[in-house]
């Protein structure tokens, strides 16, 4: 009986000793995986913050700005809890102050509009960063898909609005150079871009403005055309 117990103990010790290296390797792998996940969260959050700071308030709704800032603060808390250090974590005080100012309406409103193709690309890149992060928030942040879809719609409209602003600027440049036909094409293109986002608050108002611009140019063009036809007769 004693010999059987000794054999069992010996076998158990052998199994444990053989398992320990594998267990240590597994725990090391888990730690490394966790570090990579935390580093990824920190880097993605930093890019998201940079994208937010890049955008003019004209292209980012207040509710979306608040939503993103609250998410970034939750990411920082997650990193702090895990004792992860990064430059993003040090921005906690800044984010708290910024969120408070935005909620209270004390933040400086910047309403700059896209004025060049380069600026449009910068805006588009920033919005793409936001879209990419928002699509992954349901699992990480515990937010309903309905809320995520709402903010995605607003960001897509921001993309359309930025495109609209560039087209309108180009159209006005064409008008200054007496190229009314080209200006009319750009105004119509801008209207088409906005009408694809008709469900967003403010889109209808933008569409009305554009229709008025189109009518003004059409009146001048048609008047000129009629005058030319009369002279030919």
């Amino acid at each position: 009986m004693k010999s059987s117990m000794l054999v069992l103990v010996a076998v158990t010790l052998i199994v444990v000793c053989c398992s320990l290296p594998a267990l240590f390797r597994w725990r090391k792998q888990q730690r490394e995986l966790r570090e990579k996940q935390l580093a990824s969260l920190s880097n993605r959050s930093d890019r998201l913050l940079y994208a937010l700071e890049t955008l003019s308030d004209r292209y980012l709704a207040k509710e979306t700005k608040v939503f993103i800032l609250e998410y970034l603060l939750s990411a920082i808390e997650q990193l702090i809890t895990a004792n992860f250090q990064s430059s993003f974590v040090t921005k906690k005080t800044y984010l708290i102050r910024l969120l408070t100012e935005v909620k209270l309406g004390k933040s400086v409103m910047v309403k700059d509009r896209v004025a060049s193709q380069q600026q449009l690309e910068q805006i588009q890149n920033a919005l793409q960063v936001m879209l990419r992060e928002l699509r992954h928030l349901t699992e990480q942040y515990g937010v309903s898909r309905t809320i995520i879809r709402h903010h995605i719609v607003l960001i897509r409209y921001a993309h359309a609005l930025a495109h609209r602003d560039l087209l309108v600027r180009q159209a006005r440049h064409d008008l200054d150079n007496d190229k009314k036909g080209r200006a009319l094409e750009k105004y119509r293109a801008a209207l088409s871009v906005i009408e694809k986002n008709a469900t967003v608050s403010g889109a209808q108002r933008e569409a009305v403005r554009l229709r008025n611009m189109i009518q003004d140019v059409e009146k001048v063009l048609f008047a000129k055309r009629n005058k030319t036809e009369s002279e030919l007769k």
Side-chain angles (χ1 to χ4, degrees):
M1 186 71 176
K2 289 183 179 179
S3 60
S4 298
M5 287 295 295
L6 289 172
V7 170
L8 180 61
V9 170
V11 170
T12 302
L13 288 172
I14 292 171
V15 170
V16 170
C17 290
C18 291
S19 300
L20 282 176
L23 177 61
F24 290 147
R25 283 197 301 272
W26 179 82
R27 292 184 64 180
K28 181 181 178 182
Q29 289 172 351
Q30 291 301 306
R31 285 196 301 271
E32 290 175 348
L33 177 61
R34 180 61 174 163
E35 284 294 310
K36 288 181 180 178
Q37 290 173 337
L38 292 170
S40 176
L41 175 62
S42 178
N43 292 334
R44 292 196 332 267
S45 297
D46 221 3
R47 286 195 296 269
L48 183 56
L49 175 58
Y50 178 76
L52 183 145
E53 293 172 329
T54 300
L55 292 172
S56 161
D57 290 305
R58 173 167 171 78
Y59 305 121
L60 191 62
K62 178 181 177 180
E63 59 181 302
T64 301
K65 195 168 188 176
V66 168
F67 178 79
I68 290 175
L69 287 170
E70 289 178 340
Y71 164 70
L72 290 174
L73 281 168
S74 75
I76 284 181
E77 289 302 325
Q78 184 178 338
L79 293 169
I80 290 174
T81 301
N83 292 319
F84 185 85
Q85 299 298 319
S86 69
S87 60
F88 173 67
V89 173
T90 64
K91 298 174 183 177
K92 179 179 179 179
T93 302
Y94 163 69
L95 286 173
I96 292 174
R97 185 178 71 252
L98 183 57
L99 176 60
T100 301
E101 290 174 351
V102 172
K103 284 184 173 181
L104 296 177
K106 293 182 178 180
S107 60
V108 177
M109 298 293 286
V110 180
K111 292 289 187 178
D112 292 342
R113 300 190 180 199
V114 168
S116 68
Q117 183 63 38
Q118 182 181 5
Q119 287 181 341
L120 177 61
E121 290 173 0
Q122 290 174 345
I123 295 296
Q124 289 174 337
N125 290 337
L127 292 172
Q128 283 300 322
V129 170
M130 290 187 173
L131 284 175
R132 189 162 54 246
E133 288 304 313
L134 284 177
R135 291 191 181 105
H136 293 90
L137 280 192
T138 47
E139 297 177 358
Q140 302 169 2
Y141 194 37
V143 184
S144 71
R145 294 186 180 276
T146 301
I147 293 175
I148 295 297
R149 279 196 298 268
H150 173 66
H151 289 293
I152 286 176
V153 167
L154 292 178
I155 290 174
R156 285 175 175 164
Y157 175 64
H159 186 286
L161 192 59
H163 192 192
R164 172 261 183 219
D165 286 346
L166 180 59
L167 286 168
V168 167
R169 185 179 182 86
Q170 291 173 341
R172 287 172 178 164
H173 180 72
D174 287 336
L175 288 175
D176 291 340
N177 289 281
D178 199 26
K179 297 177 180 177
K180 297 180 181 61
R182 289 176 58 177
L184 184 58
E185 289 178 5
K186 290 185 173 70
Y187 280 139
R188 286 173 175 170
L191 177 60
S192 176
V193 167
I194 292 299
E195 285 180 334
K196 291 176 182 177
N197 298 268
T199 59
V200 177
S201 175
Q204 290 297 329
R205 187 168 59 252
E206 290 290 345
V208 169
R209 290 196 191 103
L210 287 166
R211 290 190 190 101
N212 290 335
M213 293 175 189
I214 290 170
Q215 288 176 0
D216 290 342
V217 177
E218 286 177 338
K219 286 177 183 177
V220 175
L221 276 176
F222 293 152
K224 185 176 180 180
R225 185 180 302 170
N226 292 336
K227 181 179 178 181
T228 302
E229 289 175 353
S230 299
E231 289 174 350
L232 290 174
K233 291 178 181 178

